[in-house]
């Protein structure tokens, strides 16, 4: 299920949802392709990937559709930001969500192996924050007023797969070994 929530300073309410259904032809092809790949069949000898059936939209298409529907139905509400989980951390979603929400900020998680460009070199975002920009320890307040210790770092970096600069924030919670990268 893809769910669209409206979050305000006083309430959080669901304002749209859609049940995701994977394309059966693509699902069957993927299963067969994995089986053939495992048995050593060359890619040129395996069946080609079938076209996606428009009757089975992707989760990204569903989320953008819900955002568009909300914008049309509630045009007086100003969207200040779009927060999406890691599945939606791709260029197409982030750019389109920003456009649909009137240029608001779009926040999503990046994969730790996602490539960034820094000083002409391509490296993973994880290696950048672990070796070059290690961050500083901070005490932050989370919901409910509880204070926790985190290591925070950030930079404006060119995300290779997005072909543009993004403001990237890395958080490492106390006791964790890996950064959570937004």
């Amino acid at each position: 299920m893809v769910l669209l929530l409206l979050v305000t300073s006083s309430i959080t309410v669901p304002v749209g949802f859609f049940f995701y259904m994977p394309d059966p032809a693509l699902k069957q092809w993927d299963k067969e392709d994995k089986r053939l790949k495992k048995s050593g069949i060359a890619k040129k000898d395996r069946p080609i990937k079938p076209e996606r059936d428009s009757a089975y939209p992707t989760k990204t298409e569903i989320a953008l559709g819900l955002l568009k529907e909300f914008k049309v139905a509630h045009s007086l509400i100003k969207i200040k930001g779009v927060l999406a989980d890691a599945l939606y951390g791709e260029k197409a979603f982030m750019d389109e969500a920003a456009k649909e929400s009137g240029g608001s900020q779009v926040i999503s998680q990046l994969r730790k192996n996602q490539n960034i460009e820094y000083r002409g070199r391509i490296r993973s975002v994880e290696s950048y924050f672990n070796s070059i920009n290690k961050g500083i320890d901070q005490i932050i307040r989370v919901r409910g007023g509880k204070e926790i210790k985190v290591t925070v770092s950030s930079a404006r970096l060119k995300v290779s797969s997005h072909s543009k600069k993004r403001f990237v924030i890395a958080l490492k919670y106390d006791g964790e070994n890996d950064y959570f990268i937004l």
Side-chain angles (χ1 to χ4, degrees), residues 29-80:
W29 172 84
D30 189 47
K31 185 177 178 181
E32 181 65 10
D33 190 59
K34 284 179 182 174
R35 187 187 68 76
L36 292 172
K37 188 186 288 186
K38 189 175 181 179
S39 66
I41 306 293
K43 184 172 182 162
K44 64 181 177 75
D45 297 328
R46 297 192 306 254
I48 61 169
K49 186 175 183 176
E51 291 291 318
R52 176 172 288 283
D53 185 347
S54 61
Y56 301 97
T58 65
K59 290 178 185 177
T60 300
E61 292 168 341
I62 292 169
L64 289 170
L66 288 171
L67 188 58
K68 287 175 187 175
E69 288 173 14
F70 177 81
K71 188 81 168 132
V72 169
H74 306 284
S75 60
L76 297 178
I77 295 177
K78 183 178 186 313
I79 299 172
K80 293 184 179 179

Side-chain angles (χ1 to χ4, degrees), residues 95-112:
D95 291 346
E96 189 66 23
K99 188 176 99 182
E100 285 300 323
S101 62
S104 70
Q105 186 176 57
V106 178
I107 302 169
S108 184
Q109 184 179 349
L110 290 177
R111 294 181 322 274
K112 63 183 178 180

